[in-house]
Amino acid sequence: MQFPKFDLRYVKEALKEPINFWGMVGFGVTAVFLQDVTPLLLAMGTEVVYLSVVPVSPIYRRLVARREKERSRKLREAQREAFVRGFDPREREAVEYLRWMKNQIYSNYRKFTNSKEIPANLLTLDQRWEDFVDLLDVYRRRKHHLRATNRQAVQNQLKQAEHAIQISTDDRQKRIQQANAEILKRRVAAFNELERSVRMVEGQLQSIENFFGLVNDQVVTLPTPERVSALHFEELSDSIAMTRQMLEETADTYGLLDNQHRELELLLSSGK
């Protein structure tokens, strides 16, 4: 029989268990009451056995794993709620409406199917709601970033720089304007990339909202497990995964506009 490997993490968890703490307190109180060190010796022996057995127990390790999973879930929920509190009223309304619809779908399914259990594929709406909140947070931040950047001004500067290159007779000024034009071109390209990502996220958010509406219609009109299972839950999940991948690929672009703006100011100040 192979025993689990020793792991200090489980020992620390076992030490914090209420049963261990109050057990030691009990031995201490008994020792004080009897004016005898024997209970303390028993406490030490009991603690050694306790820490030798409990931290390596598969049952206890599963209990610790469940606790950690629950703590992670609560932390994730708290972070997501913090996101929502930072949204503007219209965005919060969209989030709360989708949460209400999700709960309404569960309620309607139990009501119309007389079932106490929600099928696993229907429960994935919890994750899809979380995806909606996360994507909406990305959408609003990128949208704000784009609004804070004057694209027309950048394009005008690019035209001016290209014109200055053509008419410049001073080699040093010409090189500066050429470098200026390259930076401005990169800024326009970065702006276009961010715009593309914003449009894609916007479409994904609409897709999630429409899917919730479709599921709700199905549950209300023909609420059978077979028909609910026939809905394309996996297709929506794959679509969201694709969108997340695209966002990761364009993450560097998010800060590129500011970096290039600072680079441009440095270049022009050195030229002057």
Side-chain angles (χ1 to χ4, degrees):
M1 181 179 179
Q2 187 176 4
F3 292 95
K5 293 181 179 180
F6 177 81
D7 191 329
L8 188 60
R9 179 165 56 97
Y10 295 106
V11 175
K12 292 179 179 178
E13 288 293 326
L15 285 170
K16 294 186 291 184
E17 292 293 341
I19 189 173
N20 181 59
F21 174 78
W22 290 112
M24 292 299 102
V25 170
F27 279 115
V29 171
T30 303
V32 172
F33 181 76
L34 297 177
Q35 297 293 307
D36 189 357
V37 298
T38 302
L40 296 179
L41 296 175
L42 289 173
M44 292 175 61
T46 303
E47 187 72 359
V48 169
V49 174
Y50 172 80
L51 293 178
S52 300
V53 175
V54 172
V56 297
S57 167
I59 296 176
Y60 181 71
R61 291 192 171 194
R62 286 195 293 270
L63 174 63
V64 171
R66 285 197 298 271
R67 287 175 179 172
E68 290 179 348
K69 185 177 180 180
E70 182 64 15
R71 281 197 293 266
S72 298
R73 184 187 66 80
K74 289 182 178 179
L75 176 61
R76 190 173 67 249
E77 287 181 353
Q79 291 172 337
R80 191 164 289 105
E81 292 300 329
F83 283 157
V84 173
R85 286 194 296 272
F87 293 172
D88 65 34
R90 184 179 177 183
E91 292 163 345
R92 286 200 301 271
E93 183 180 354
V95 169
E96 294 305 327
Y97 174 75
L98 205 65
R99 193 201 317 248
W100 172 85
M101 182 175 286
K102 171 175 67 72
N103 294 331
Q104 194 69 18
I105 289 170
Y106 293 160
S107 175
N108 286 336
Y109 184 87
R110 292 190 185 98
K111 176 182 177 181
F112 294 120
T113 63
N114 295 318
S115 174
K116 295 181 179 179
E117 296 294 328
I118 303 293
N121 55 356
L122 201 58
L123 285 174
T124 60
L125 294 180
D126 286 335
Q127 183 59 52
R128 300 292 79 83
W129 179 82
E130 293 181 5
D131 292 333
F132 181 87
V133 175
D134 292 341
L135 290 173
L136 182 56
D137 180 59
V138 173
Y139 172 79
R140 61 189 291 275
R141 285 188 287 112
R142 294 197 175 194
K143 190 77 172 177
H144 177 75
H145 194 80
L146 289 176
R147 286 172 178 168
T149 306
N150 191 334
R151 179 179 181 178
Q152 188 60 51
V154 174
Q155 291 176 326
N156 291 340
Q157 289 176 32
L158 177 57
K159 290 180 181 178
Q160 292 170 5
E162 290 174 339
H163 179 68
I165 293 170
Q166 294 175 356
I167 65 173
S168 178
T169 57
D170 184 275
D171 288 343
R172 184 171 181 271
Q173 284 297 325
K174 188 172 185 178
R175 286 196 300 270
I176 290 174
Q177 290 300 336
Q178 286 173 337
N180 182 18
E182 288 303 316
I183 294 172
L184 290 168
K185 287 177 183 177
R186 294 204 304 270
R187 292 200 73 197
V188 172
F191 196 96
N192 292 338
E193 186 68 17
L194 277 180
E195 273 193 332
R196 187 177 73 86
S197 72
V198 166
R199 287 195 299 269
M200 181 173 287
V201 175
E202 186 174 21
Q204 187 65 75
L205 290 171
Q206 292 173 354
S207 176
I208 296 174
E209 289 180 321
N210 291 331
F211 186 79
F212 273 59
L214 173 64
V215 174
N216 190 52
D217 293 343
Q218 185 69 70
V219 167
V220 171
T221 55
L222 295 168
T224 64
E226 294 77 18
R227 290 188 177 274
V228 171
S229 298
L231 295 171
H232 300 295
F233 291 88
E234 295 80 6
E235 185 176 317
L236 178 63
S237 177
D238 292 343
S239 176
I240 292 173
M242 181 185 68
T243 301
R244 287 185 180 278
Q245 182 180 357
M246 183 275 300
L247 290 174
E248 290 175 2
E249 292 171 353
T250 60
D252 292 339
T253 308
Y254 183 68
L256 195 59
L257 290 174
D258 285 338
N259 292 337
Q260 291 173 348
H261 181 68
R262 288 191 292 270
E263 187 179 351
L264 178 60
E265 287 181 337
L266 248 162
L267 174 68
L268 295 179
S269 63
S270 66
K272 291 176 183 177

